[in-house]
Amino acid sequence: MLTKKLQPVQSFLSLVSRSVGHFPRQHYDVIVVGGGHAGTEAAAAAARLGAETLLITQKIHTIGALSCNPSLGGVGKGHLVREVDALDGLCGRAGDWAGISFSILNRRKGPAVWGPRAQLDRQRYREFMQSELLSTPRLTVMEGSVEELLVTDPNPEQPGQHRVNGICLANSSHPISASSVVLTTGTFLSGSLFIGQTTSPGGRIGDAPSSAGLSHTLRERLGLKVGRLRTGTPPRIVKDSVDLSLATLNPPDSSPTPFSFMNTHTRCRPEEQLPCYLTYTTPGVERVVRESLHLNCHIQQDAKGPRYCPSIESRVLRFPGRRHQVWLEPEGLTSDLLYPQGLSMTMPPDVQLRLIREIPPLHKAEIHMPGYGVQYDFVCPTQLSPSLQVKSTQGLFLAGQINGTTGYEEAAAQGLWAGVNAGRRALSKPPVALSRTESYIGVLIDDLVSRGVTEPYRMFTSRAEFRTSLRPDNADLRLTLKGRFELGCVSSSRHQKAVRVKNSLQDALAALQALSLSTTSWKRKIPDVHVSEANSNMLSGIEMLQYKDVSFQVLASIFPEVLLPFMEFSQRLKIEAVYRPHCESNKREIQRIQEEENMSLPEDIDYLSLPVSLSQEVREVLHRARPSTLGAATRLEGITPAAVVNLFNYVCFAEKRKKTSHGNQRRQKEGREEELCASLPQ
Amino acid sequence: WAGYGRCGVAVVRVSGPASATALRSMAGHRLPPPRTALLRSITDPLSGEMLDRGLVLWFPAPHSFTGEDSVEFHIHGGPAVITAVLQALGSVPGTRPAEAGEFTRRAFQAGKLDLTEVEGLGDLIHAETEAQRRQALRQMSGELGHIYRDWSHKLKRCLAHIEAFIDFSEDELIEDGVLDQADRSVCDLQSQIEQHLRDERRGERLRSGVHVVIAGATNAGKSSLLNTLCQRPAAIVSPIAGTTRDIVETAVDIGGFPVLLSDTAGLRESADLVEQEGVRRARERVQQADLTLLVVDSTCLPSDVQRAAGFLSEHLRNMCLLVLNKSDLLPETQRQKLKMELRGVSGLPAVCLLSCQTNEGLKDFLTVLQSSVKTLCGDPLAGAPTLTQARHRAHLQQCVAALSQFQRYRDSDLALAAEGVRLALTSLGRITGRVGAEEILDIIFKDFCIGK
């Protein structure tokens, strides 16, 4: 059994000392701008890869701050956390360190859609992140505000119209150069804060707004298309002022499941965990919202907000007359605040107080800090390649909310991916891709760069076509081995552990397969299980494990000498056994998609004049999205199967043409056909 | 452009952006009003020589078969006229001869037809009997595709509900009824599709022909019956037992329904190796048949009618007609007795007393045969449209299997249950070509040389 202890967090003093008086170098391999969920993962990943990395953030002590909800994971999001961890990222281990209330959502709906989730202690999460980053080799953390990107002419051997090769800090005349720059500005890009009728520039309350220069460069200098999104956060409530006896207690799992594959237990002991509480809105809440609409700037703006975690205003306006859930969540082990999930609001503070007091457990509640709304610019992510590099600009990578996503986990996943590719670029390694057939990170990135966003993008399990294969339990098998050798972002200790797990699971499954008994013998050994007679006479241990009521423990008690050595994997083996047949049948389809993904579409292709029979609509979709592979093209909205076939033929033909350098009659004939097709209206 | 043959009128169709140019350069500079037939002189665009006088029609996009600009020349059907017009067309820039099935392919690509409609069109062109034509026309008009799309639509909704329940139910408010509703829809759909599949292959039979096998002992007159039915001496007939050794097949039209008739070797023990093989083939063919015509030499029947019934029962299989041949050799009294007595015997199929020699009883036999064939094919116009293709059947069976995966995992693992609905949807989509069409597209257009 592996009983690795969580790393003790270094004293806070030593981290501060590292940044003070530390004069930055003139050149880094990678510069990461921003110290949120995307920035921390990006900086750590680039450094793990071997790149000299600089992380620039406004304040070191806000690194790892949870700007909104004090929780990590959930359905779909938990999958991302497990995958980031499998690639040796930080957020899984940070969650295990800071978690104070663990539960697995969707427990009754099947392991493929289990959602590992935890309430977090804000203080502990920050501590962990800062300690990790400040002790990461090759990573320098620096306080500062980025004023400008250094933009130069592109390297003519690579596609792109510009190149970013460094940054300029505010209050500094010395630019810092870098091979790659990763922007993770979150909500700070032209961010505005909204409370009631007042608006002020900024991306988070209490932090200075980021410079207008950055936004200007992206838009004007690099010509990137940007859009506007909005989000919001609820007021924080003084815990002592809440009557929790009027809310429903929702206890965590009695035995916390860690996020990280490296941990066997969480820092928080099971009995130390804090519960959440559930309560509901009342008609009074709706009344206050309606009465105060004229005082609410944010809600009157038409920037797009998430449908998934809407503000209380949009909830009651969209579904009037209904009661809505409000979760009262702890903010930390020793925090005296509660976070009311579901009560994100932007009305004036006095109205906020009136509103929450319409909810029975909050009828005497005090607000510590009011809720507010944020509007910010995002860069339309179809302008990115699957490595998260801006297609038109060499060396510039974007990750997190700047790409139109919402959520810590989505940001962390992109941050890690951008960090890996930024590091690879700096180290002159080719960019790498993660397929949507092997990971949720791949799904996330493919969705972003090939479809773009119309509202803040959040991960769902239904976005993954091969959900039964991409489970939270097997993220290490899917990604850690690849992460070590193909990507270079996984440490050797994690890699060794994953190899050991992989071999053990293989051995155990082989042992189970070898246990072949007749149905009658099985019935004698496990009398409670209804083995159907219709099955062939001999059943293997794997087939028995597929029965709902047969656990690995039951089998191990019957065949202790063969199976007891694998007891630590009992849950994983049960899941493997049940899902195996389904994953097998997925394989052909996965293969087809991977083949399509391997057919790359040239970056400089001109869809508007492409000599292929395509409708004008399809041409415009392709022109806007510029998919990097045929696979990405098939998933674009508005692409017909016929268009895919024609595109497929074109790609095949283009490749053939590349190979045969000399023209012949056949080519002329085909050329003529191309001309004809080109002029077809559809 | 396309069109061929020797007939009164030939239609040459041009589709694509050069259509208008072709029409202007060959039949006058002004385009006729859309979809209106005009009589024009058709001239060679280079020499100006008049080639023919005929009707021309102009179909601007998207209101044409292909969805593109199209032109039709209705010209006289002589080969010289057609060749001249085609040659003239070839000199119009931007035109070339159409490939096999190309017009249909373009119509499909422009979204004018779905795959079932394309298949229906192919069947219509190939229809040889009246009932086949009716079925094909119905399919081409989109009725079958409509059913499948309706099912797809319902499944999509189900899946969306299940997915919402998986992704949202725990932190947001999804009504509890959502899953029950999905349960009900899946059940309904499953039984509807199973019902559709339980058509006894009627539509496919009508499309590809009913397999009717003539079987019986040697020298019972099987080949004579074949020749009588197809009204020509297709099989050799002789008084020697064992004349027919291999299977003789011929296609006939029985009351508007297509029938593939097979004559087989007479069933008897034989030392002759060739005849043994013939008998083996005959038995195999009977196994695969939709309908067997069991031919018995009526002079060999036991004279006691009750015993005759027992004797006949031994030779029966499910779908079978009894043909008592050589009735002309029986005395009139015995004939009457057989007719009267065998009609009422339970367990016996329809019995026809027939003489291939004198054609006596042939009319009655044909009526019985026709109604059997009609039952096997179903009425192509009545009720819901039927399955016409084995391809559809395979996809629908996959769909039903996938839906039972939903049922199997509904309570234990919703992710695997949802996967079942997803698979079901993919299978349905493959029928109409709205999902995953790329794989079947090539097959469709390779296998069907359609709609020139």
Side-chain angles (χ1 to χ4, degrees):
Chain A
M1 289 284 292
L2 198 112
T3 52
K4 187 175 183 290
K5 289 271 179 342
L6 288 157
Q7 290 172 3
V9 172
Q10 294 181 342
S11 100
F12 207 57
L13 270 179
S14 70
L15 13 147
V16 179
S17 67
R18 190 162 171 203
S19 67
V20 174
H22 186 96
F23 193 77
R25 297 145 51 118
Q26 297 285 298
H27 178 86
Y28 287 88
D29 291 329
V30 176
I31 293 176
V32 177
V33 182
H37 300 271
T40 51
E41 295 288 357
R48 284 201 302 281
L49 230 72
E52 269 309 320
T53 305
L54 173 67
L55 173 65
I56 301 173
T57 177
Q58 289 192 358
K59 292 180 211 155
I60 286 180
H61 82 266
T62 59
I63 286 179
L66 303 164
S67 313
C68 194
N69 51 310
S71 60
L72 186 72
V75 179
K77 291 164 170 277
H79 290 70
L80 286 172
V81 175
R82 299 280 283 181
E83 291 187 358
V84 168
D85 181 70
L87 292 171
D88 227 353
L90 309 175
C91 66
R93 284 180 298 128
D96 290 342
W97 177 262
I100 51 171
S101 180
F102 290 82
S103 51
I104 298 225
L105 303 183
N106 271 352
R107 175 117 28 205
R108 298 210 322 275
K109 296 177 199 160
V113 294
W114 282 354
R117 184 178 188 278
Q119 295 299 140
L120 302 175
D121 182 306
R122 292 181 188 275
Q123 181 65 32
R124 285 186 174 182
Y125 198 85
R126 275 209 307 269
E127 274 171 24
F128 184 94
M129 279 298 180
Q130 291 170 19
S131 156
E132 273 287 319
L133 290 181
L134 293 165
S135 60
T136 299
R138 292 180 294 277
L139 175 60
T140 307
V141 182
M142 192 180 108
E143 288 193 346
S145 185
V146 173
E147 182 68 45
E148 198 54 88
L149 295 174
L150 299 179
V151 181
T152 62
D153 288 334
N155 175 350
E157 285 161 21
Q158 293 167 5
Q161 290 104 55
H162 311 280
R163 178 153 63 111
V164 163
N165 63 353
I167 53 111
C168 277
L169 288 171
N171 312 319
S172 165
S173 51
H174 300 289
I176 308 174
S177 69
S179 310
S180 307
V181 172
V182 185
L183 287 186
T184 68
T185 52
T187 55
F188 282 80
L189 204 62
S190 306
S192 321
L193 303 176
F194 290 78
I195 303 186
Q197 288 169 295
T198 49
T199 306
S200 55
R204 176 170 62 202
I205 259 185
D207 289 302
S210 74
S211 91
L214 204 52
S215 176
H216 183 263
T217 307
L218 293 178
R219 253 197 287 220
E220 307 301 329
R221 184 76 205 278
L222 302 179
L224 294 178
K225 195 179 150 218
V226 300
R228 197 118 175 110
L229 290 173
R230 70 175 175 198
T231 183
T233 193
R236 310 302 195 262
I237 292 172
V238 178
K239 196 175 183 177
D240 286 344
S241 67
V242 178
D243 185 354
L244 288 173
S245 67
L246 296 176
T248 317
L249 180 101
N250 190 61
D253 290 354
S254 54
S255 153
T257 309
F259 287 108
S260 175
F261 288 99
M262 299 303 281
N263 291 332
T264 51
H265 59 275
T266 59
R267 179 186 178 196
C268 182
R269 286 196 300 274
E271 66 279 9
E272 285 174 341
Q273 293 187 94
L274 297 178
C276 295
Y277 296 86
L278 177 61
T279 182
Y280 294 93
T281 59
T282 59
V285 168
E286 193 173 326
R287 200 179 58 243
V288 175
V289 167
R290 290 189 184 281
E291 283 170 8
S292 63
L293 275 183
H294 63 290
L295 302 173
N296 202 330
C297 277
H298 190 62
I299 214 72
Q300 293 155 12
Q301 307 268 331
D302 58 356
K304 283 198 175 124
R307 275 180 302 174
Y308 323 119
C309 65
S311 65
I312 189 64
E313 292 95 329
S314 44
R315 277 185 178 208
V316 302
L317 293 177
R318 204 174 317 145
F319 301 104
R322 288 223 325 231
R323 59 175 205 168
H324 300 276
Q325 282 184 330
V326 175
W327 288 96
L328 300 173
E329 303 178 345
E331 291 240 313
L333 273 186
T334 56
S335 167
D336 46 14
L337 299 179
L338 282 179
Y339 178 92
Q341 200 213 114
L343 285 187
S344 165
M345 58 181 83
T346 55
M347 53 202 66
D350 56 315
V351 185
Q352 294 193 16
L353 191 66
R354 257 174 58 211
L355 187 149
I356 64 165
R357 289 187 171 181
E358 294 289 340
I359 298 171
L362 305 178
H363 67 278
K364 287 183 184 152
E366 294 296 338
I367 288 178
H368 170 76
M369 189 185 71
Y372 59 93
V374 189
Q375 294 190 9
Y376 56 97
D377 280 355
F378 75 101
V379 175
C380 298
T382 50
Q383 300 167 104
L384 305 178
S385 70
S387 66
L388 294 182
Q389 181 174 222
V390 176
K391 283 177 187 167
S392 67
T393 309
Q394 300 163 4
L396 180 63
F397 295 79
L398 308 179
Q401 274 170 304
I402 192 172
N403 291 340
T405 61
T406 173
Y408 304 156
E409 303 80 0
E410 288 82 353
Q414 292 171 71
L416 180 137
W417 195 240
V420 164
N421 280 297
R424 290 182 68 88
R425 178 183 151 81
L427 303 173
S428 305
K429 292 177 181 169
V432 281
L434 265 187
S435 162
R436 60 188 298 129
T437 62
E438 61 187 337
S439 64
Y440 275 71
I441 303 181
V443 172
L444 167 70
I445 286 162
D446 185 50
D447 281 352
L448 289 179
V449 305
S450 53
R451 295 176 196 224
V453 298
T454 50
E455 62 185 327
Y457 179 101
R458 169 180 150 182
M459 182 49 71
F460 303 115
T461 66
S462 49
R463 295 194 194 269
E465 293 88 342
F466 302 106
R467 184 164 65 186
T468 47
S469 308
L470 311 185
R471 302 187 307 269
D473 65 276
N474 66 6
D476 54 345
L477 300 184
R478 289 186 278 120
L479 296 174
T480 304
L481 307 183
K482 175 172 186 158
R484 173 80 182 156
F485 296 112
E486 281 181 51
L487 314 181
C489 63
V490 168
S491 70
S492 90
S493 61
R494 183 184 285 269
H495 173 250
Q496 279 164 17
K497 173 153 193 205
V499 168
R500 192 185 77 84
V501 169
K502 188 183 173 204
N503 293 340
S504 304
L505 287 175
Q506 267 171 4
D507 293 348
L509 288 170
L512 283 165
Q513 187 66 51
L515 292 175
S516 186
L517 295 184
S518 68
T519 24
T520 23
S521 322
W522 280 117
K523 274 187 166 171
R524 253 200 315 277
K525 288 182 191 297
I526 322 175
D528 311 340
V529 175
H530 300 287
V531 183
S532 74
E533 294 282 359
N535 275 327
S536 59
N537 285 333
M538 301 300 277
L539 282 179
S540 73
I542 294 190
E543 286 165 305
M544 281 310 289
L545 208 46
Q546 287 165 359
Y547 280 90
K548 197 179 163 193
D549 302 321
V550 179
S551 68
F552 184 78
Q553 285 89 338
V554 169
L555 296 184
S557 67
I558 305 172
F559 304 100
E561 62 288 2
V562 202
L563 297 182
L564 269 186
F566 303 112
M567 276 303 282
E568 65 173 300
F569 303 110
S570 53
Q571 188 180 57
R572 291 188 70 161
L573 287 166
K574 169 83 184 170
I575 298 174
E576 274 298 326
V578 172
Y579 276 78
R580 206 171 219 212
H582 304 281
C583 298
E584 288 295 321
S585 62
N586 271 345
K587 270 190 184 154
R588 223 187 88 221
E589 182 74 352
I590 288 180
Q591 204 181 352
R592 185 183 66 79
I593 290 195
Q594 278 171 343
E595 276 164 15
E596 283 176 0
E597 272 170 356
N598 289 337
M599 300 194 77
S600 54
L601 297 170
E603 287 208 19
D604 54 353
I605 201 166
D606 180 7
Y607 290 106
L608 297 181
S609 66
L610 194 68
V612 170
S613 168
L614 297 171
S615 73
Q616 201 52 39
E617 274 173 318
V618 165
R619 282 176 193 277
E620 273 159 22
V621 169
L622 290 168
H623 180 69
R624 267 200 309 276
R626 312 205 64 81
S628 54
T629 64
L630 188 69
T634 59
R635 287 183 293 277
L636 292 174
E637 225 154 296
I639 296 292
T640 59
V644 172
V645 172
N646 288 335
L647 213 50
F648 169 84
N649 290 338
Y650 174 79
V651 173
C652 292
F653 178 59
E655 271 173 16
K656 238 188 277 164
R657 192 169 37 184
K658 247 185 260 164
K659 281 176 196 154
T660 53
S661 50
H662 295 290
N664 53 27
Q665 274 210 315
R666 183 178 154 76
R667 257 191 59 199
Q668 282 170 4
K669 175 182 164 273
E670 281 168 337
R672 182 167 146 72
E673 278 179 10
E674 266 190 7
E675 279 166 34
L676 289 167
C677 290
S679 50
L680 291 176
Q682 296 254 330
Chain B
W1 34 267
Y4 246 104
R6 182 198 293 268
C7 40
V9 176
V11 177
V12 177
R13 189 191 261 172
V14 186
S15 179
S19 302
T21 319
L23 184 56
R24 281 207 196 93
S25 55
M26 290 177 59
H29 277 277
R30 279 193 30 215
L31 284 175
R35 296 176 297 285
T36 307
L38 282 188
L39 185 62
R40 291 260 177 105
S41 300
I42 295 163
T43 54
D44 187 300
L46 298 180
S47 65
E49 182 197 351
M50 187 167 115
L51 304 171
D52 194 7
R53 265 179 78 76
L55 294 177
V56 295
L57 287 115
W58 161 236
F59 302 92
H63 302 291
S64 68
F65 174 73
T66 54
E68 308 170 324
D69 283 349
S70 290
V71 167
E72 281 180 13
F73 296 93
H74 295 219
I75 53 175
H76 292 101
V81 180
I82 295 172
T83 309
V85 171
L86 290 183
Q87 264 174 7
L89 266 175
S91 65
V92 176
T95 65
R96 63 169 168 82
E99 287 159 17
E102 190 173 358
F103 284 150
T104 315
R105 188 181 182 111
R106 288 188 178 204
F108 173 74
Q109 293 184 344
K112 285 266 167 179
L113 301 171
D114 76 11
L115 276 184
T116 61
E117 287 160 11
V118 170
E119 286 167 338
L121 176 64
D123 286 352
L124 186 64
I125 291 167
H126 291 141
E128 290 184 349
T129 74
E130 188 63 8
Q132 280 181 321
R133 179 190 64 75
R134 289 200 187 108
Q135 173 165 290
L137 192 61
R138 202 168 168 201
Q139 179 172 340
M140 193 191 70
S141 65
E143 276 195 63
L144 201 54
H146 183 74
I147 293 191
Y148 297 148
R149 273 197 300 281
D150 180 51
W151 289 343
S152 273
H153 180 69
K154 284 181 180 152
L155 268 184
K156 262 181 220 155
R157 273 181 59 96
C158 271
L159 187 59
H161 285 174
I162 299 165
E163 295 294 3
F165 189 76
I166 289 175
D167 273 330
F168 297 113
S169 68
E170 296 209 5
D171 41 348
E172 278 121 302
L173 270 178
I174 298 285
E175 286 124 279
D176 302 333
V178 161
L179 264 200
D180 301 334
Q181 211 181 319
D183 280 345
R184 277 197 301 278
S185 302
V186 169
C187 269
D188 277 2
L189 274 174
Q190 207 173 351
S191 61
Q192 277 178 39
I193 298 173
E194 276 167 355
Q195 180 71 36
H196 187 66
L197 280 170
R198 264 199 302 274
D199 64 346
E200 316 278 329
R201 291 183 51 246
R202 284 197 302 271
E204 284 163 77
R205 269 198 205 107
L206 177 50
R207 184 172 171 271
S208 56
V210 180
H211 288 259
V212 175
V213 174
I214 306 174
T218 49
N219 245 4
K222 298 181 293 298
S223 301
S224 301
L225 181 59
L226 178 90
N227 290 346
T228 304
L229 285 173
C230 66
Q231 293 164 355
R232 64 189 171 90
I236 301 169
V237 181
S238 85
I240 304 161
T243 303
T244 308
R245 293 184 158 197
D246 205 350
I247 287 162
V248 178
E249 273 183 0
T250 177
V252 290
D253 178 339
I254 305 281
F257 293 89
V259 167
L260 194 66
L261 202 58
S262 314
D263 181 23
T264 61
L267 303 173
R268 68 167 178 184
E269 299 296 323
S270 167
D272 184 334
L273 281 178
V274 178
E275 193 173 356
Q276 272 176 22
E277 174 59 16
V279 170
R280 192 194 63 76
R281 289 185 186 190
R283 290 188 194 281
E284 188 181 76
R285 189 57 69 102
V286 168
Q287 289 301 317
Q288 299 161 350
D290 294 318
L291 176 67
T292 309
L293 301 181
L294 183 62
V295 183
V296 176
D297 181 345
S298 47
T299 58
C300 299
L301 284 176
S303 51
D304 176 353
V305 172
Q306 285 308 315
R307 279 186 48 226
F311 170 88
L312 291 170
S313 308
E314 289 166 18
H315 297 268
L316 297 176
R317 41 185 309 285
N318 295 342
M319 206 45 201
C320 175
L321 288 184
L322 262 180
V323 180
L324 305 184
N325 193 18
K326 306 191 188 176
S327 63
D328 52 311
L329 300 183
L330 291 181
E332 176 65 24
T333 49
Q334 180 71 4
R335 278 206 296 261
Q336 290 305 327
K337 210 165 139 197
L338 272 175
K339 265 187 191 168
M340 296 301 292
E341 305 269 334
L342 288 181
R343 190 166 291 160
V345 179
S346 66
L348 271 194
V351 179
C352 301
L353 205 57
L354 176 73
S355 164
C356 291
Q357 197 68 46
T358 63
N359 281 351
E360 189 200 341
L362 181 65
K363 207 175 155 201
D364 289 346
F365 168 67
L366 279 176
T367 312
V368 174
L369 178 61
Q370 187 178 328
S371 87
S372 305
V373 169
K374 195 173 171 184
T375 314
L376 283 166
C377 294
D379 180 347
L381 294 184
T386 43
L387 271 172
T388 53
Q389 309 236 348
R391 185 179 79 79
H392 300 179
R393 181 174 301 280
H395 290 311
L396 288 174
Q397 279 162 345
Q398 281 165 12
C399 178
V400 170
L403 289 179
S404 60
Q405 177 176 334
F406 171 83
Q407 310 281 13
R408 187 159 71 250
Y409 289 107
R410 162 68 176 78
D411 294 321
S412 61
D413 192 317
L414 208 51
L416 290 180
E419 180 86 358
V421 180
R422 247 191 237 208
L423 290 174
L425 196 53
T426 312
S427 305
L428 268 186
R430 291 216 164 104
I431 299 180
T432 52
R434 306 274 168 174
V435 183
E438 52 273 30
E439 300 132 53
I440 32 177
L441 257 178
D442 285 336
I443 305 170
I444 294 290
F445 289 103
K446 251 181 240 155
D447 289 0
F448 302 85
C449 169
I450 43 178
K452 254 247 187 182

